[in-house]
Amino acid sequence: QLLVDLKDITPRSGSVPFYSSVTGGLLDTKALDAEYWYRNLRETVEFGNAAGALLADGFRFFIEASPHPVLGVAVGESVEAAGVEAAVLGTLRRQEGGLEQVLRAVGRAWERGLGVDWSGAVPGARRVELPTYAFQRSRYWPEPAPTTAADVGSAGLDSADHPVLGAATELADTGELLLSGRLSLRTHP
């Protein structure tokens, strides 16, 4: 009956690679005729081989777009068997559908490194760098050498005899007093 019902379909080659669970590998979509779909119902499912072929060809993101992601486990097993790093993600779940759930799934893929164009989901938005966390500090100044009274005198400066100010000098052109010093976490915690 299936061969009769599908006899008039005319499959065409597509632009997106198609990996078949009937053949277990990459297949030109112009082969998806009535006979293919009949074989799909009658022959052994080659899902594991198709997933292995995808991994061998360098695919590393697997997103299951179904009402309940049951094939994710099988893909995960193929990823483990191949010994590669890959993301296996579901989109929808029973009683949890809609655009919000799909965007959440795409966000999980983005977290794993998939390049995502968010402009369609958030029109007019722009990307900004996130602030670093408090424990991710970077120092951008050199560590000063410890200053002693001998260092001040050898630089032609007078000691300021002050806990924060390290040196004092009189400016030649104005006679004003210039005070200088160094603050650091080491000397002034």
Side-chain angles (χ1 to χ4, degrees):
Q1 183 64 44
L2 184 68
L3 289 170
V4 171
D5 290 346
L6 298 179
K7 71 178 171 37
D8 294 329
I9 65 169
T10 308
R12 299 184 202 159
S13 294
S15 59
V16 175
F18 181 83
Y19 286 75
S20 169
S21 62
V22 174
T23 65
L26 184 62
L27 182 68
D28 187 336
T29 55
K30 71 180 177 185
L32 301 181
D33 58 6
E35 182 65 34
Y36 172 86
W37 294 111
Y38 179 76
R39 288 177 55 209
N40 185 51
L41 293 175
R42 303 286 298 172
E43 295 179 5
T44 303
V45 175
E46 299 289 340
F47 184 83
N49 290 337
L54 283 159
L55 289 163
D57 288 347
F59 290 91
R60 294 297 182 262
F61 289 93
F62 298 87
I63 300 175
E64 184 174 354
S66 70
H68 196 66
V70 296
L71 295 176
V73 173
V75 174
E77 289 172 353
S78 294
V79 168
E80 188 175 324
V84 297
E85 188 83 21
V88 181
L89 306 160
T91 53
L92 305 175
R93 298 200 180 280
R94 290 185 190 127
Q95 309 302 321
E96 295 178 29
L99 180 60
E100 186 177 313
Q101 182 67 19
V102 171
L103 289 174
R104 197 174 291 124
V106 173
R108 285 193 305 271
W110 179 77
E111 287 174 347
R112 299 288 302 268
L114 181 65
V116 175
D117 178 4
W118 293 104
S119 61
V122 190
R126 64 183 175 84
R127 289 186 63 133
V128 297
E129 291 298 318
L130 293 175
T132 58
Y133 294 100
F135 58 85
Q136 292 177 318
R137 295 184 190 170
S138 296
R139 296 177 58 96
Y140 297 102
W141 54 89
E143 290 291 329
T147 304
T148 64
D151 295 331
V152 172
S154 67
L157 303 173
D158 296 323
S159 174
D161 293 324
H162 189 273
V164 176
L165 300 173
T169 190
E170 188 173 310
L171 297 177
D173 59 341
T174 63
E176 294 176 332
L177 190 61
L178 173 66
L179 302 170
S180 64
R182 292 181 184 167
L183 290 175
S184 76
L185 293 175
R186 196 173 301 130
T187 59
H188 299 88

